[in-house]
Amino acid sequence: MIDELFLKRKATQIRKDFIQMIFEAGTGHTGSSLSNTDILTALYYGVMNVNPQNPDWEDRDRYVQSKGHAVESYWAVLADKGFFPKEELKTFSRYNSRLIGHPNNKVPGVEMNTGALGHGLSVSVGMALAAKLDQKSYRVFTLMGDGEQAEGSVWEAAMAASQYKLDNLVGIIDRNRLQITGSTNDVMNNEPLDEKWESFGWEVIEVDGNDVAALVRTFQQAPFKSDKPTMVLANTVKGKGISFTENQVGWHHRVPSEKEYRMAMEELTKQLEVLI
Ligand SMILES: [Mg+2]
């Protein structure tokens, strides 16, 4: 049974947590983190088998955030789940903090240092292959950006996953159709993504990437074909949840002004108020 209201409240609260974090730190990937918040919420609150008290538990499901720059939503989720104290979010991007601007495995719950795009899926293939060899039932979830599809190494991993029949691997593309300098169509057109992944031997599923309940259902059902890796094309809105950041390429790595911060928090608070 999926508690849709709980998931929506959680996603909105997570957005509030990291918008505050970005504003106070004066740095962050606002639009990118807002884009993947619902995907992270679905994975961590409705799908993945993890234990914050024992983050290295060998049977845990693995999450690799290959689009490492969108780290703020990730930090907020890990803190909320109890991997580290929520108070620590206040240290984000400050001297000596382990909560730096990209995922790193000094932080409990993080599997891999990421940020250089195009590496996460290859390492995830290794993790999924290890599970098969060890006869373990854990799954590996890997989040990539749609701009990241321009990295050639993604497609080497795509071939390997299919070759080794890794049906315990779930790739996710945060398909917001924008990247750092413009639309993905203008910068490096990657469509048709569904046919490309299918031709590399993956089972491809499309879903509304800002519908947390739909995401949970999709991730729970994977694999859709035995012996085949799954690619979830999550159609998202970059900057989702705040009216003036949605679909705005300039918000990829922009910090709200004090006025924008207040407007953003007001909007998110209003969204929370109706989710009862
Ligand atoms: Mg993108």
Side-chain angles (χ1 to χ4, degrees):
M1 177 72 184
I2 296 169
D3 187 344
E4 192 166 358
L5 202 58
F6 164 80
L7 291 168
K8 283 183 171 173
R9 282 188 65 82
K10 188 57 81 179
T12 308
Q13 184 58 53
I14 294 293
R15 284 185 166 93
K16 285 187 75 175
D17 289 351
F18 72 76
I19 291 296
Q20 181 184 349
M21 194 178 89
I22 288 172
F23 176 69
E24 287 175 355
T27 184
H29 288 83
T30 305
S32 314
S33 275
L34 287 166
S35 181
N36 68 24
T37 305
D38 299 302
I39 295 168
L40 278 161
T41 304
L43 287 172
Y44 277 91
Y45 298 90
V47 181
M48 286 202 311
N49 208 6
V50 290
N51 181 356
Q53 272 69 53
N54 186 10
D56 298 327
W57 169 45
E58 62 177 24
D59 291 326
R60 71 193 183 279
D61 289 326
R62 271 69 164 167
Y63 171 70
V64 172
Q65 183 159 312
S66 193
K67 52 169 295 185
H69 57 280
V71 77
E72 297 82 8
S73 46
Y74 192 18
W75 290 155
V77 165
L78 289 178
D80 187 76
K81 287 289 288 184
F83 282 94
F84 55 85
K86 222 166 179 177
E87 271 299 294
E88 200 173 329
L89 293 178
K90 292 190 184 309
T91 71
F92 172 57
S93 267
R94 299 198 191 269
Y95 181 65
N96 263 342
S97 173
R98 55 186 178 175
L99 302 185
I100 59 172
H102 286 86
N104 68 92
N105 58 18
K106 289 194 183 89
V107 181
V110 174
E111 303 287 346
M112 176 188 171
N113 298 352
T114 50
L117 295 169
H119 296 179
L121 194 63
S122 293
V123 175
S124 302
V125 164
M127 291 176 181
L129 189 54
K132 292 281 183 191
L133 293 171
D134 293 341
Q135 297 183 313
K136 296 275 190 187
S137 59
Y138 66 78
R139 295 195 289 166
V140 184
F141 297 88
T142 309
L143 178 64
M144 295 180 285
D146 51 358
E148 187 178 1
Q149 302 306 299
E151 299 282 355
S153 50
V154 169
W155 302 97
E156 295 177 39
M159 274 187 276
S162 166
Q163 169 74 20
Y164 295 111
K165 300 182 169 47
L166 300 179
D167 55 7
N168 54 349
L169 176 61
V170 179
I172 308 154
I173 296 177
D174 181 355
R175 193 198 208 179
N176 54 35
R177 298 177 192 273
L178 291 175
Q179 60 190 100
I180 188 166
T181 53
S183 82
T184 48
N185 278 355
D186 292 340
V187 178
M188 184 63 79
N189 183 20
N190 58 35
E191 295 294 343
L193 266 185
D194 52 351
E195 288 177 23
K196 282 182 179 149
W197 281 95
E198 274 161 16
S199 74
F200 275 73
W202 290 56
E203 189 66 16
V204 179
I205 306 291
E206 262 191 73
V207 63
D208 179 343
N210 295 120
D211 181 336
V212 197
L215 286 162
V216 169
R217 273 192 293 276
T218 304
F219 295 142
Q220 282 179 346
Q221 284 169 37
F224 292 85
K225 288 247 171 79
S226 60
D227 292 344
K228 278 183 131 188
T230 304
M231 180 51 66
V232 176
L233 297 182
N235 295 312
T236 52
V237 170
K238 196 158 180 169
K240 177 73 178 178
I242 300 168
S243 57
F244 56 90
T245 62
E246 289 190 357
N247 278 319
Q248 300 298 314
V249 70
W251 277 95
H252 175 87
H253 190 223
R254 200 190 131 182
V255 176
S257 66
E258 190 159 347
K259 188 178 166 203
E260 288 165 339
Y261 171 65
R262 298 206 184 289
M263 283 161 55
M265 292 305 257
E266 215 168 280
E267 280 193 28
L268 293 169
T269 303
K270 275 193 186 140
Q271 288 168 34
L272 263 186
E273 281 167 5
V274 296
L275 291 172
I276 49 170

